[in-house]
mmCIF file of all heavy atoms in Angstrom:
data_model
loop_
_atom_site.group_PDB
_atom_site.id
_atom_site.type_symbol
_atom_site.label_atom_id
_atom_site.label_comp_id
_atom_site.label_asym_id
_atom_site.label_seq_id
_atom_site.Cartn_x
_atom_site.Cartn_y
_atom_site.Cartn_z
ATOM 1 N N THR A 1254 213.154 95.005 131.961
ATOM 2 C CA THR A 1254 214.298 95.904 132.012
ATOM 3 C C THR A 1254 213.868 97.258 131.491
ATOM 4 O O THR A 1254 212.893 97.411 130.760
ATOM 5 C CB THR A 1254 215.472 95.379 131.162
ATOM 6 O OG1 THR A 1254 215.083 95.286 129.820
ATOM 7 C CG2 THR A 1254 215.945 94.016 131.679
ATOM 8 N N GLU A 1255 214.625 98.280 131.932
ATOM 9 C CA GLU A 1255 214.356 99.633 131.471
ATOM 10 C C GLU A 1255 215.714 100.333 131.239
ATOM 11 O O GLU A 1255 216.667 100.158 131.946
ATOM 12 C CB GLU A 1255 213.558 100.421 132.540
ATOM 13 C CG GLU A 1255 213.197 101.836 132.122
ATOM 14 C CD GLU A 1255 212.421 102.569 133.174
ATOM 15 O OE1 GLU A 1255 212.205 101.991 134.247
ATOM 16 O OE2 GLU A 1255 212.045 103.725 132.900
ATOM 17 N N LYS A 1256 215.696 101.135 130.132
ATOM 18 C CA LYS A 1256 216.885 101.916 129.825
ATOM 19 C C LYS A 1256 216.539 103.400 129.794
ATOM 20 O O LYS A 1256 215.520 103.795 129.229
ATOM 21 C CB LYS A 1256 217.434 101.477 128.447
ATOM 22 C CG LYS A 1256 217.928 100.066 128.435
ATOM 23 C CD LYS A 1256 218.065 99.509 127.001
ATOM 24 C CE LYS A 1256 216.754 99.065 126.450
ATOM 25 N NZ LYS A 1256 216.217 97.871 127.085
ATOM 26 N N GLN A 1257 217.337 104.213 130.463
ATOM 27 C CA GLN A 1257 217.069 105.663 130.535
ATOM 28 C C GLN A 1257 218.288 106.455 130.097
ATOM 29 O O GLN A 1257 219.408 106.182 130.516
ATOM 30 C CB GLN A 1257 216.737 106.069 131.981
ATOM 31 C CG GLN A 1257 215.480 105.447 132.513
ATOM 32 C CD GLN A 1257 215.344 105.757 133.978
ATOM 33 O OE1 GLN A 1257 215.885 105.155 134.864
ATOM 34 N NE2 GLN A 1257 214.570 106.799 134.268
ATOM 35 N N MET A 1258 218.080 107.420 129.195
ATOM 36 C CA MET A 1258 219.111 108.389 128.855
ATOM 37 C C MET A 1258 218.938 109.578 129.818
ATOM 38 O O MET A 1258 218.054 110.405 129.638
ATOM 39 C CB MET A 1258 218.968 108.835 127.438
ATOM 40 C CG MET A 1258 219.999 109.856 126.970
ATOM 41 S SD MET A 1258 221.655 109.185 126.885
ATOM 42 C CE MET A 1258 221.581 108.382 125.272
ATOM 43 N N ILE A 1259 219.726 109.607 130.840
ATOM 44 C CA ILE A 1259 219.597 110.649 131.834
ATOM 45 C C ILE A 1259 220.056 111.983 131.299
ATOM 46 O O ILE A 1259 219.471 113.010 131.568
ATOM 47 C CB ILE A 1259 220.376 110.250 133.132
ATOM 48 C CG1 ILE A 1259 219.721 109.007 133.756
ATOM 49 C CG2 ILE A 1259 220.392 111.389 134.143
ATOM 50 C CD1 ILE A 1259 220.448 108.423 134.941
ATOM 51 N N GLU A 1260 221.154 111.934 130.547
ATOM 52 C CA GLU A 1260 221.656 113.169 129.930
ATOM 53 C C GLU A 1260 222.410 112.808 128.683
ATOM 54 O O GLU A 1260 223.157 111.838 128.619
ATOM 55 C CB GLU A 1260 222.600 113.923 130.858
ATOM 56 C CG GLU A 1260 223.096 115.221 130.289
ATOM 57 C CD GLU A 1260 224.115 115.961 131.166
ATOM 58 O OE1 GLU A 1260 224.700 115.252 132.024
ATOM 59 O OE2 GLU A 1260 224.319 117.150 131.015
ATOM 60 N N ILE A 1261 222.247 113.623 127.632
ATOM 61 C CA ILE A 1261 223.065 113.513 126.415
ATOM 62 C C ILE A 1261 223.310 114.949 125.951
ATOM 63 O O ILE A 1261 222.386 115.765 125.811
ATOM 64 C CB ILE A 1261 222.372 112.690 125.308
ATOM 65 C CG1 ILE A 1261 223.181 112.680 124.043
ATOM 66 C CG2 ILE A 1261 220.949 113.156 125.056
ATOM 67 C CD1 ILE A 1261 222.725 111.704 122.976
ATOM 68 N N ARG A 1262 224.596 115.247 125.731
ATOM 69 C CA ARG A 1262 224.914 116.594 125.284
ATOM 70 C C ARG A 1262 226.139 116.546 124.329
ATOM 71 O O ARG A 1262 226.988 115.708 124.501
ATOM 72 C CB ARG A 1262 225.209 117.547 126.458
ATOM 73 C CG ARG A 1262 226.323 117.065 127.336
ATOM 74 C CD ARG A 1262 226.469 118.049 128.558
ATOM 75 N NE ARG A 1262 227.435 117.556 129.509
ATOM 76 C CZ ARG A 1262 228.737 117.871 129.484
ATOM 77 N NH1 ARG A 1262 229.211 118.634 128.511
ATOM 78 N NH2 ARG A 1262 229.549 117.409 130.418
ATOM 79 N N ARG A 1263 226.057 117.419 123.364
ATOM 80 C CA ARG A 1263 227.173 117.481 122.366
ATOM 81 C C ARG A 1263 228.392 118.103 122.982
ATOM 82 O O ARG A 1263 228.306 119.046 123.761
ATOM 83 C CB ARG A 1263 226.678 118.281 121.157
ATOM 84 C CG ARG A 1263 227.669 118.255 119.987
ATOM 85 C CD ARG A 1263 227.056 118.804 118.764
ATOM 86 N NE ARG A 1263 228.057 119.063 117.743
ATOM 87 C CZ ARG A 1263 227.773 119.560 116.537
ATOM 88 N NH1 ARG A 1263 226.545 119.840 116.214
ATOM 89 N NH2 ARG A 1263 228.764 119.808 115.687
ATOM 90 N N ILE A 1264 229.552 117.554 122.664
ATOM 91 C CA ILE A 1264 230.840 118.060 123.130
ATOM 92 C C ILE A 1264 231.744 118.193 121.908
ATOM 93 O O ILE A 1264 231.464 117.672 120.829
ATOM 94 C CB ILE A 1264 231.460 117.089 124.179
ATOM 95 C CG1 ILE A 1264 231.652 115.717 123.599
ATOM 96 C CG2 ILE A 1264 230.599 117.048 125.442
ATOM 97 C CD1 ILE A 1264 232.379 114.738 124.531
ATOM 98 N N PRO A 1265 232.887 118.909 122.048
ATOM 99 C CA PRO A 1265 233.858 119.009 120.929
ATOM 100 C C PRO A 1265 234.334 117.642 120.485
ATOM 101 O O PRO A 1265 234.704 116.812 121.297
ATOM 102 C CB PRO A 1265 234.930 119.890 121.518
ATOM 103 C CG PRO A 1265 234.327 120.640 122.626
ATOM 104 C CD PRO A 1265 233.319 119.716 123.218
ATOM 105 N N PHE A 1266 234.345 117.491 119.173
ATOM 106 C CA PHE A 1266 234.835 116.221 118.563
ATOM 107 C C PHE A 1266 236.339 116.226 118.500
ATOM 108 O O PHE A 1266 236.962 117.182 118.110
ATOM 109 C CB PHE A 1266 234.234 116.064 117.164
ATOM 110 C CG PHE A 1266 234.902 114.941 116.385
ATOM 111 C CD1 PHE A 1266 234.665 113.620 116.745
ATOM 112 C CD2 PHE A 1266 235.743 115.210 115.348
ATOM 113 C CE1 PHE A 1266 235.243 112.593 116.030
ATOM 114 C CE2 PHE A 1266 236.351 114.200 114.585
ATOM 115 C CZ PHE A 1266 236.088 112.879 114.978
ATOM 116 N N CYS A 1267 236.915 115.088 118.954
ATOM 117 C CA CYS A 1267 238.392 114.882 118.789
ATOM 118 C C CYS A 1267 238.572 113.562 118.016
ATOM 119 O O CYS A 1267 238.002 112.521 118.382
ATOM 120 C CB CYS A 1267 239.059 114.746 120.166
ATOM 121 S SG CYS A 1267 238.902 116.214 121.177
ATOM 122 N N LYS A 1268 239.366 113.650 116.966
ATOM 123 C CA LYS A 1268 239.555 112.455 116.147
ATOM 124 C C LYS A 1268 240.165 111.342 116.948
ATOM 125 O O LYS A 1268 239.835 110.165 116.796
ATOM 126 C CB LYS A 1268 240.467 112.795 114.945
ATOM 127 C CG LYS A 1268 240.541 111.651 113.956
ATOM 128 C CD LYS A 1268 241.292 112.122 112.734
ATOM 129 C CE LYS A 1268 241.323 110.982 111.694
ATOM 130 N NZ LYS A 1268 242.044 111.384 110.459
#
Side-chain angles (χ1 to χ4, degrees):
T1254 61
E1255 182 180 3
K1256 295 164 280 290
Q1257 296 174 276
M1258 179 69 80
I1259 295 175
E1260 181 185 20
I1261 176 171
R1262 58 185 174 88
R1263 187 169 166 181
I1264 59 176
F1266 168 70
C1267 298
K1268 187 173 183 180

